[in-house]
């Protein structure tokens, strides 16, 4: 995980009304309720663009936006974040604040292969809650904003990179591992309730198979 100190030139600092998000994303009642219950204020804090950070943009990443979300409590989902991501097609890094702590949250946003005008989101990745005065470091010197964005997202992905990984393959492995871990949790719950010995044997075999698959997904190829 890397915490960056954004340059003063990149400061934007505009409060974004929830109504503007609703206009662009047209969320359903459940997501609107999440905004009302969870979100105190949305601040479009920084615009990392060629003219503000002196790093070239690309077609995929012309800018990176940093949003500060001030929460009403520390328990939150990601539905309202996905709504903001839908409303604003540019890549976004969210910094969620509650009391004297904050966390980074983001989904990897890429151009759709089927429609270049649309963006596709990965699942969301997040740090733990951190102290508000946690140490930050300057932005790294990189060739373009696409490299910076990949580095920012990479710092949030908990699965260790393999030598053959690019950012998308690493995220795919992360999501597949998460899916297998959920299957294991479901099977372990069934195992706990199961009374018949032969059924326990079958469930245990399924759990071992899934654990072996996870091990394969974390092991370098070749």
């Amino acid at each position: 995980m890397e915490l960056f100190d954004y340059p003063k030139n990149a400061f934007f600092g505009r409060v974004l009304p929830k109504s503007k998000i609703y206009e662009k994303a047209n969320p359903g009642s459940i997501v609107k309720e999440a905004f009302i219950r969870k979100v105190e204020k949305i601040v479009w804090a920084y615009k990392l663009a060629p003219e503000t950070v002196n790093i070239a943009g690309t077609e995929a990443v012309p800018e990176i936006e940093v949003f500060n979300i001030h929460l009403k409590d520390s328990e939150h989902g990601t539905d309202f974040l996905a709504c903001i991501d839908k409303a604003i097609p540019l890549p976004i890094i969210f910094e969620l604040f509650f009391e004297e702590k904050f966390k980074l949250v983001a989904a990897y946003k890429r151009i759709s292969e089927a429609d270049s005008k649309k963006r596709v989101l990965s699942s969301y990745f997040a740090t733990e809650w951190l102290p508000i005065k946690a140490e930050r470091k300057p932005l790294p010197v990189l060739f373009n904003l696409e490299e910076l964005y990949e580095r920012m997202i990479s710092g949030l992905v908990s699965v260790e990179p393999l030598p053959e990984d690019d950012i998308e393959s690493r995220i795919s492995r992360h999501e597949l591992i998460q899916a297998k871990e959920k299957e294991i949790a479901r099977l372990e719950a069934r195992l706990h309730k199961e009374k018949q010995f032969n059924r326990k044997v079958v469930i245990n075999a399924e759990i071992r198979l899934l654990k072996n698959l996870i091990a394969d997904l974390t092991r370098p190829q070749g």
Side-chain angles (χ1 to χ4, degrees), residues 91-166:
I92 301 174
I93 304 294
F94 295 101
E95 296 195 355
L96 275 52
F97 292 82
F98 178 69
E99 294 181 344
E100 294 301 311
K101 54 191 178 182
F102 79 106
K103 67 184 346 182
L104 302 185
V105 184
Y108 182 63
K109 187 183 288 186
R110 62 175 176 81
I111 295 173
S112 169
E113 294 176 1
D115 185 346
S116 61
K117 294 181 180 179
K118 294 182 179 180
R119 298 277 179 159
V120 178
L121 286 178
S122 71
S123 55
Y124 280 85
F125 308 102
T127 65
E128 300 297 325
W129 286 106
L130 304 166
I132 202 80
K133 294 184 179 180
E135 184 178 355
R136 295 175 182 252
K137 61 184 182 181
L139 290 179
V141 178
L142 296 170
F143 185 68
N144 57 46
L145 288 171
E146 191 168 345
E147 287 186 1
L148 176 60
Y149 180 54
E150 290 184 2
R151 180 156 167 179
M152 295 169 88
I153 293 293
S154 180
L156 300 178
V157 181
S158 59
V159 172
E160 289 297 317
L162 298 177
E164 64 271 18
D165 274 345
D166 58 20

Side-chain angles (χ1 to χ4, degrees), residues 56-70:
T58 66
E59 182 181 2
V61 185
E63 287 186 17
I64 303 167
E65 315 307 325
V66 179
F67 276 50
N68 291 354
I69 312 292
H70 297 266

